[in-house]
Amino acid sequence: MKKGLIIRSTGSWYELIDQETNNKYSCRTAGKMKLLKKDLSNPIGVGDFVEFEPESENQGIIHKIEPRKNYIVRQSPKNKHQLHLIAANIDLAVLVTTLIQPTFKPGFIDRFLITTEPQNIPVLIVFNKSDLWEESEFQLFEDCKSIYRHITAGLLEVSTVTLKNIELLKENLLGKTCLVAGQSGVGKSSLLNVLQPGIGLRTSDISSSSGKGTHTTTFAEMFILEDGSRVIDTPGIKSLSFNNLEIMDVAHNFKEFFETSVGCRFGSKCTHRNEPECAVKMAIESGHISFQRYQNYINLIDEIESQNYWERNKKF
Ligand code: GDP
């Protein structure tokens, strides 16, 4: 049996790299694979290590999936009560975003962080298109730094036009398996092309009418860069939605809120809204927790509460 690393998954076919020879194989699974986790709708994701048996020069059969150190899911496109495995064994998640073109959306970073926090995946936030920044964007970037510096692996402003900080970004990725995510239009494909000229990803122009980019990537895919770093490109962030979340999932995955909740009267059961003696609210008053982050938190749990309300009432 040989060991392989999954670099692409398109439904029932999986593309992998033989760990010894670096040859590529297209593989199917041996019968129905046992799912490592019952709530996942697909058994194998990009970044998974597997055992496989070659059947020909470039095809084979996967027999076993190695245990994962972590994984990222999204809501299954087929069944919204199931989760679809996007990628596994991630060392660093790179969230690509912009302050302008497209406009920065407060709350977007926080949404992403609650998907990585339960899996203990460090997040580097990359602000692209810094060549377009004026004074207000530089100020906004400083504000973001003061909010997110302590709860992430860092923030970096880059540009695929001037190549600002691209070398620094490469250093941050070196030797790691990195998941790259971001809303369409932020320049994710341009950035991957700059990281490795010739990766050959298509970039999409921002539609002049909507100001939004159009989707060009539909499946997660891993690219091995020249320096050995592994980069996983993911489908549009739209699909990283989370209908199955409960309020406590959010409360427990706002890192600094959860850490602070030991001081709340209701401890880890506190939702930090109207409860008495809430240490999180006190920390906001004293400036130890960002008010902006608290607002994003409240918006998120309001949204989940109304979503769950409609879901529950539909059933009766
Ligand atoms: P994706 O949808 O996130 O993959 O974004 P693309 O890479 O397709 O880029 C969307 C648009 O932004 C394209 O028109 C790019 O030329 C443009 N773009 C990408 N990076 C930069 C940058 O650093 N500065 C500027 N000004 N434009 C950029």
Side-chain angles (χ1 to χ4, degrees), residues 15-32:
E15 199 169 321
L16 59 77
I17 298 184
D18 183 329
Q19 292 295 270
E20 265 172 52
T21 61
N22 281 338
N23 287 346
K24 281 188 186 167
Y25 287 85
S26 281
C27 293
R28 284 181 174 275
T29 53
K32 208 167 155 53

PDB file of all heavy atoms in Angstrom, residues 15-32:
ATOM      1  N   GLU A  15      -7.862  13.338  -6.652  1.00  0.00           N
ATOM      2  CA  GLU A  15      -6.515  13.386  -7.215  1.00  0.00           C
ATOM      3  C   GLU A  15      -5.533  13.431  -6.045  1.00  0.00           C
ATOM      4  O   GLU A  15      -5.751  14.173  -5.077  1.00  0.00           O
ATOM      5  CB  GLU A  15      -6.370  14.633  -8.083  1.00  0.00           C
ATOM      6  CG  GLU A  15      -5.204  14.508  -9.042  1.00  0.00           C
ATOM      7  CD  GLU A  15      -5.207  15.623 -10.084  1.00  0.00           C
ATOM      8  OE1 GLU A  15      -6.292  15.997 -10.570  1.00  0.00           O
ATOM      9  OE2 GLU A  15      -4.127  16.124 -10.374  1.00  0.00           O
ATOM     10  N   LEU A  16      -4.501  12.626  -6.120  1.00  0.00           N
ATOM     11  CA  LEU A  16      -3.534  12.618  -5.019  1.00  0.00           C
ATOM     12  C   LEU A  16      -2.106  12.598  -5.538  1.00  0.00           C
ATOM     13  O   LEU A  16      -1.849  12.296  -6.701  1.00  0.00           O
ATOM     14  CB  LEU A  16      -3.786  11.441  -4.068  1.00  0.00           C
ATOM     15  CG  LEU A  16      -3.735   9.998  -4.577  1.00  0.00           C
ATOM     16  CD1 LEU A  16      -2.320   9.520  -4.762  1.00  0.00           C
ATOM     17  CD2 LEU A  16      -4.439   9.089  -3.577  1.00  0.00           C
ATOM     18  N   ILE A  17      -1.180  12.933  -4.628  1.00  0.00           N
ATOM     19  CA  ILE A  17       0.244  12.873  -4.945  1.00  0.00           C
ATOM     20  C   ILE A  17       0.851  11.739  -4.136  1.00  0.00           C
ATOM     21  O   ILE A  17       0.687  11.696  -2.902  1.00  0.00           O
ATOM     22  CB  ILE A  17       0.967  14.190  -4.593  1.00  0.00           C
ATOM     23  CG1 ILE A  17       0.410  15.339  -5.413  1.00  0.00           C
ATOM     24  CG2 ILE A  17       2.463  14.069  -4.817  1.00  0.00           C
ATOM     25  CD1 ILE A  17       1.139  16.642  -5.196  1.00  0.00           C
ATOM     26  N   ASP A  18       1.519  10.834  -4.826  1.00  0.00           N
ATOM     27  CA  ASP A  18       2.241   9.755  -4.171  1.00  0.00           C
ATOM     28  C   ASP A  18       3.350  10.382  -3.315  1.00  0.00           C
ATOM     29  O   ASP A  18       4.168  11.158  -3.824  1.00  0.00           O
ATOM     30  CB  ASP A  18       2.842   8.852  -5.275  1.00  0.00           C
ATOM     31  CG  ASP A  18       3.569   7.649  -4.696  1.00  0.00           C
ATOM     32  OD1 ASP A  18       4.124   7.752  -3.594  1.00  0.00           O
ATOM     33  OD2 ASP A  18       3.572   6.615  -5.379  1.00  0.00           O
ATOM     34  N   GLN A  19       3.364  10.076  -2.027  1.00  0.00           N
ATOM     35  CA  GLN A  19       4.301  10.723  -1.105  1.00  0.00           C
ATOM     36  C   GLN A  19       5.757  10.329  -1.335  1.00  0.00           C
ATOM     37  O   GLN A  19       6.659  11.022  -0.894  1.00  0.00           O
ATOM     38  CB  GLN A  19       3.894  10.432   0.343  1.00  0.00           C
ATOM     39  CG  GLN A  19       2.601  11.102   0.748  1.00  0.00           C
ATOM     40  CD  GLN A  19       2.735  12.622   0.735  1.00  0.00           C
ATOM     41  OE1 GLN A  19       3.095  13.224   1.733  1.00  0.00           O
ATOM     42  NE2 GLN A  19       2.438  13.253  -0.382  1.00  0.00           N
ATOM     43  N   GLU A  20       5.974   9.202  -2.019  1.00  0.00           N
ATOM     44  CA  GLU A  20       7.362   8.788  -2.282  1.00  0.00           C
ATOM     45  C   GLU A  20       7.873   9.319  -3.619  1.00  0.00           C
ATOM     46  O   GLU A  20       8.973   9.837  -3.719  1.00  0.00           O
ATOM     47  CB  GLU A  20       7.440   7.268  -2.338  1.00  0.00           C
ATOM     48  CG  GLU A  20       7.829   6.628  -1.028  1.00  0.00           C
ATOM     49  CD  GLU A  20       7.690   5.136  -1.126  1.00  0.00           C
ATOM     50  OE1 GLU A  20       8.246   4.551  -2.089  1.00  0.00           O
ATOM     51  OE2 GLU A  20       6.994   4.564  -0.263  1.00  0.00           O
ATOM     52  N   THR A  21       7.033   9.176  -4.665  1.00  0.00           N
ATOM     53  CA  THR A  21       7.517   9.476  -6.019  1.00  0.00           C
ATOM     54  C   THR A  21       7.062  10.832  -6.532  1.00  0.00           C
ATOM     55  O   THR A  21       7.539  11.294  -7.573  1.00  0.00           O
ATOM     56  CB  THR A  21       6.984   8.422  -7.011  1.00  0.00           C
ATOM     57  OG1 THR A  21       5.543   8.508  -6.985  1.00  0.00           O
ATOM     58  CG2 THR A  21       7.407   7.017  -6.625  1.00  0.00           C
ATOM     59  N   ASN A  22       6.074  11.452  -5.853  1.00  0.00           N
ATOM     60  CA  ASN A  22       5.447  12.700  -6.306  1.00  0.00           C
ATOM     61  C   ASN A  22       4.625  12.528  -7.583  1.00  0.00           C
ATOM     62  O   ASN A  22       4.212  13.526  -8.176  1.00  0.00           O
ATOM     63  CB  ASN A  22       6.475  13.814  -6.508  1.00  0.00           C
ATOM     64  CG  ASN A  22       6.873  14.425  -5.181  1.00  0.00           C
ATOM     65  OD1 ASN A  22       6.131  14.331  -4.208  1.00  0.00           O
ATOM     66  ND2 ASN A  22       8.052  15.015  -5.137  1.00  0.00           N
ATOM     67  N   ASN A  23       4.384  11.285  -8.001  1.00  0.00           N
ATOM     68  CA  ASN A  23       3.509  11.057  -9.163  1.00  0.00           C
ATOM     69  C   ASN A  23       2.067  11.351  -8.768  1.00  0.00           C
ATOM     70  O   ASN A  23       1.681  11.175  -7.613  1.00  0.00           O
ATOM     71  CB  ASN A  23       3.585   9.593  -9.623  1.00  0.00           C
ATOM     72  CG  ASN A  23       4.900   9.315 -10.322  1.00  0.00           C
ATOM     73  OD1 ASN A  23       5.612  10.246 -10.691  1.00  0.00           O
ATOM     74  ND2 ASN A  23       5.228   8.040 -10.475  1.00  0.00           N
ATOM     75  N   LYS A  24       1.286  11.786  -9.779  1.00  0.00           N
ATOM     76  CA  LYS A  24      -0.125  12.070  -9.496  1.00  0.00           C
ATOM     77  C   LYS A  24      -0.990  10.874  -9.889  1.00  0.00           C
ATOM     78  O   LYS A  24      -0.737  10.232 -10.919  1.00  0.00           O
ATOM     79  CB  LYS A  24      -0.571  13.298 -10.284  1.00  0.00           C
ATOM     80  CG  LYS A  24      -0.117  14.582  -9.639  1.00  0.00           C
ATOM     81  CD  LYS A  24      -0.731  15.778 -10.312  1.00  0.00           C
ATOM     82  CE  LYS A  24      -0.139  17.051  -9.736  1.00  0.00           C
ATOM     83  NZ  LYS A  24      -0.452  18.220 -10.540  1.00  0.00           N
ATOM     84  N   TYR A  25      -2.014  10.598  -9.102  1.00  0.00           N
ATOM     85  CA  TYR A  25      -2.975   9.537  -9.409  1.00  0.00           C
ATOM     86  C   TYR A  25      -4.388  10.073  -9.268  1.00  0.00           C
ATOM     87  O   TYR A  25      -4.662  10.880  -8.370  1.00  0.00           O
ATOM     88  CB  TYR A  25      -2.833   8.381  -8.419  1.00  0.00           C
ATOM     89  CG  TYR A  25      -1.598   7.537  -8.603  1.00  0.00           C
ATOM     90  CD1 TYR A  25      -0.390   7.907  -8.015  1.00  0.00           C
ATOM     91  CD2 TYR A  25      -1.640   6.365  -9.349  1.00  0.00           C
ATOM     92  CE1 TYR A  25       0.751   7.132  -8.166  1.00  0.00           C
ATOM     93  CE2 TYR A  25      -0.500   5.580  -9.511  1.00  0.00           C
ATOM     94  CZ  TYR A  25       0.686   5.968  -8.914  1.00  0.00           C
ATOM     95  OH  TYR A  25       1.809   5.208  -9.064  1.00  0.00           O
ATOM     96  N   SER A  26      -5.284   9.596 -10.129  1.00  0.00           N
ATOM     97  CA  SER A  26      -6.715   9.827  -9.944  1.00  0.00           C
ATOM     98  C   SER A  26      -7.263   8.581  -9.275  1.00  0.00           C
ATOM     99  O   SER A  26      -7.069   7.478  -9.789  1.00  0.00           O
ATOM    100  CB  SER A  26      -7.421  10.001 -11.291  1.00  0.00           C
ATOM    101  OG  SER A  26      -7.195  11.292 -11.748  1.00  0.00           O
ATOM    102  N   CYS A  27      -7.936   8.763  -8.157  1.00  0.00           N
ATOM    103  CA  CYS A  27      -8.362   7.583  -7.394  1.00  0.00           C
ATOM    104  C   CYS A  27      -9.845   7.612  -7.071  1.00  0.00           C
ATOM    105  O   CYS A  27     -10.455   8.673  -6.950  1.00  0.00           O
ATOM    106  CB  CYS A  27      -7.602   7.510  -6.081  1.00  0.00           C
ATOM    107  SG  CYS A  27      -5.858   7.196  -6.281  1.00  0.00           S
ATOM    108  N   ARG A  28     -10.387   6.398  -6.929  1.00  0.00           N
ATOM    109  CA  ARG A  28     -11.720   6.227  -6.370  1.00  0.00           C
ATOM    110  C   ARG A  28     -11.549   5.540  -5.028  1.00  0.00           C
ATOM    111  O   ARG A  28     -10.478   5.029  -4.724  1.00  0.00           O
ATOM    112  CB  ARG A  28     -12.566   5.332  -7.280  1.00  0.00           C
ATOM    113  CG  ARG A  28     -13.065   6.027  -8.524  1.00  0.00           C
ATOM    114  CD  ARG A  28     -13.899   5.043  -9.315  1.00  0.00           C
ATOM    115  NE  ARG A  28     -14.526   5.655 -10.453  1.00  0.00           N
ATOM    116  CZ  ARG A  28     -15.687   6.301 -10.408  1.00  0.00           C
ATOM    117  NH1 ARG A  28     -16.338   6.430  -9.271  1.00  0.00           N
ATOM    118  NH2 ARG A  28     -16.204   6.829 -11.493  1.00  0.00           N
ATOM    119  N   THR A  29     -12.630   5.478  -4.256  1.00  0.00           N
ATOM    120  CA  THR A  29     -12.509   4.796  -2.970  1.00  0.00           C
ATOM    121  C   THR A  29     -12.910   3.332  -3.133  1.00  0.00           C
ATOM    122  O   THR A  29     -13.647   2.985  -4.055  1.00  0.00           O
ATOM    123  CB  THR A  29     -13.415   5.452  -1.913  1.00  0.00           C
ATOM    124  OG1 THR A  29     -14.736   5.514  -2.440  1.00  0.00           O
ATOM    125  CG2 THR A  29     -12.928   6.840  -1.579  1.00  0.00           C
ATOM    126  N   ALA A  30     -12.407   2.483  -2.231  1.00  0.00           N
ATOM    127  CA  ALA A  30     -12.766   1.064  -2.254  1.00  0.00           C
ATOM    128  C   ALA A  30     -14.151   0.931  -1.641  1.00  0.00           C
ATOM    129  O   ALA A  30     -14.306   1.049  -0.433  1.00  0.00           O
ATOM    130  CB  ALA A  30     -11.752   0.262  -1.446  1.00  0.00           C
ATOM    131  N   GLY A  31     -15.165   0.739  -2.451  1.00  0.00           N
ATOM    132  CA  GLY A  31     -16.543   0.636  -1.954  1.00  0.00           C
ATOM    133  C   GLY A  31     -16.939   1.902  -1.231  1.00  0.00           C
ATOM    134  O   GLY A  31     -16.442   2.987  -1.527  1.00  0.00           O
ATOM    135  N   LYS A  32     -17.806   1.766  -0.272  1.00  0.00           N
ATOM    136  CA  LYS A  32     -18.242   2.943   0.480  1.00  0.00           C
ATOM    137  C   LYS A  32     -17.310   3.124   1.666  1.00  0.00           C
ATOM    138  O   LYS A  32     -17.169   2.239   2.499  1.00  0.00           O
ATOM    139  CB  LYS A  32     -19.684   2.728   0.949  1.00  0.00           C
ATOM    140  CG  LYS A  32     -20.437   4.016   1.117  1.00  0.00           C
ATOM    141  CD  LYS A  32     -21.924   3.725   1.275  1.00  0.00           C
ATOM    142  CE  LYS A  32     -22.635   4.828   2.011  1.00  0.00           C
ATOM    143  NZ  LYS A  32     -22.442   6.163   1.487  1.00  0.00           N
TER     144      LYS A  32
END
